[in-house]
Amino acid sequence: QKEVEQNSGPLSVPEGAIASLNCTYSDRVSQSFFWYRQYSGKSPELIMSIYSNGDKEDGRFTAQLNKASQYVSLLIRDSQPSDSATYLCAALSGNTPLVFGKGTRLSVIA
Amino acid sequence: DAGVTQSPTHLIKTRGQHVTLRCSPISGHKSVSWYQQVLGQGPQFIFQYYEKEERGRGNFPDRFSARQFPNYSSELNVNALLLGDSALYLCASSLYEKLFFGSGTQLSVL
């Protein structure tokens, strides 16, 4: 059973701080990893993808991947109240369907 | 370009009824996936179709069925609805490994 684990939160950070969201996955052969943002009552929106070990930066977002530790993280710099949402981590192995974690609820306090 | 479109946006049914949900993928995307998301959980995989063929099926009962049409649009059918089928049903289209979700259909079973 392929699993993606996330702390459900809520994770509360003050405005302007760095939010750090973490995710672990069970399938060692997972190759591709994704972070989705989901506002309450809305559908998930893809914000980051990462495929190789190391960091990948896109604006205020940085995704980090460590395949040896089976660990993925998302850093949000200069957090804004508009970043308050649930963040879903997802992992893909070959031709199997994308597996999602339960999500971490982030609350950015103004 | 239009994103993934789903209809209807909201639906209220009673136990035992059946429901048909519809999805049109992003232009050029040949793969459609269906996910179920219960409140507080991550999306759970139901079906994937590619070029009108079923490529994967999640751990859902036979009451759930789907198909994909020549224009790559898709339908998800659920028969003999149960209270536990109440959820947000998400359709996603994909080009390569990235999934892009529609706005979803919120199904309430009373």
Side-chain angles (χ1 to χ4, degrees):
Chain A
Q1 182 79 5
K2 299 172 184 176
E3 292 184 344
V4 174
E5 300 286 341
Q6 295 182 257
N7 187 324
S8 61
L11 173 66
S12 294
V13 299
E15 183 176 359
I18 296 175
S20 178
L21 304 161
N22 305 315
C23 165
T24 59
Y25 58 95
S26 64
D27 188 357
R28 188 168 288 278
V29 301
S30 294
Q31 303 158 324
S32 306
F33 304 88
F34 305 89
W35 284 98
Y36 285 80
R37 177 177 62 198
Q38 187 172 25
Y39 292 112
S40 180
K42 302 296 185 182
S43 62
E45 173 193 10
L46 179 64
I47 55 172
M48 288 289 287
S49 59
I50 187 166
Y51 308 103
S52 54
N53 282 328
D55 295 358
K56 179 181 177 182
E57 186 175 320
D58 184 0
R60 295 187 297 113
F61 299 100
T62 299
Q64 299 174 318
L65 174 60
N66 183 326
K67 290 187 177 181
S69 300
Q70 295 177 234
Y71 179 87
V72 191
S73 66
L74 179 70
L75 301 178
I76 306 175
R77 289 182 299 281
D78 188 25
S79 295
Q80 301 296 311
S82 59
D83 294 325
S84 298
T86 295
Y87 289 81
L88 298 162
C89 175
L92 184 66
S93 306
N95 292 323
T96 60
L98 196 59
V99 176
F100 286 85
K102 293 182 179 181
T104 297
R105 189 155 52 95
L106 172 66
S107 179
V108 180
I109 310 301
Chain B
D1 282 343
V4 178
T5 58
Q6 290 187 245
S7 64
T9 55
H10 295 84
L11 206 49
I12 299 175
K13 293 286 189 179
T14 57
R15 283 178 296 174
Q17 287 188 311
H18 77 273
V19 67
T20 298
L21 310 181
R22 295 179 174 83
C23 171
S24 293
I26 294 170
S27 177
H29 289 194
K30 299 180 179 180
S31 178
V32 170
S33 299
W34 288 95
Y35 283 78
Q36 180 197 63
Q37 187 176 26
V38 175
L39 193 63
Q41 302 293 317
Q44 294 293 311
F45 173 73
I46 309 175
F47 284 108
Q48 182 187 24
Y49 278 80
Y50 179 78
E51 292 274 18
K52 297 177 291 181
E53 290 191 4
E54 183 181 304
R55 287 297 182 92
R57 183 188 180 110
N59 187 24
F60 281 81
D62 292 343
R63 299 184 295 107
F64 289 75
S65 64
R67 55 180 176 168
Q68 185 178 33
F69 299 100
N71 66 353
Y72 304 114
S73 68
S74 178
E75 284 183 354
L76 175 69
N77 293 282
V78 186
N79 293 324
L81 286 167
L82 302 174
L83 296 179
D85 295 330
S86 296
L88 178 66
Y89 288 84
L90 296 162
C91 174
S93 73
S94 57
L95 188 63
Y96 307 112
E97 73 281 350
K98 293 182 180 179
L99 289 188
F100 298 92
F101 286 95
S103 56
T105 295
Q106 184 65 55
L107 172 64
S108 298
V109 182
L110 306 178

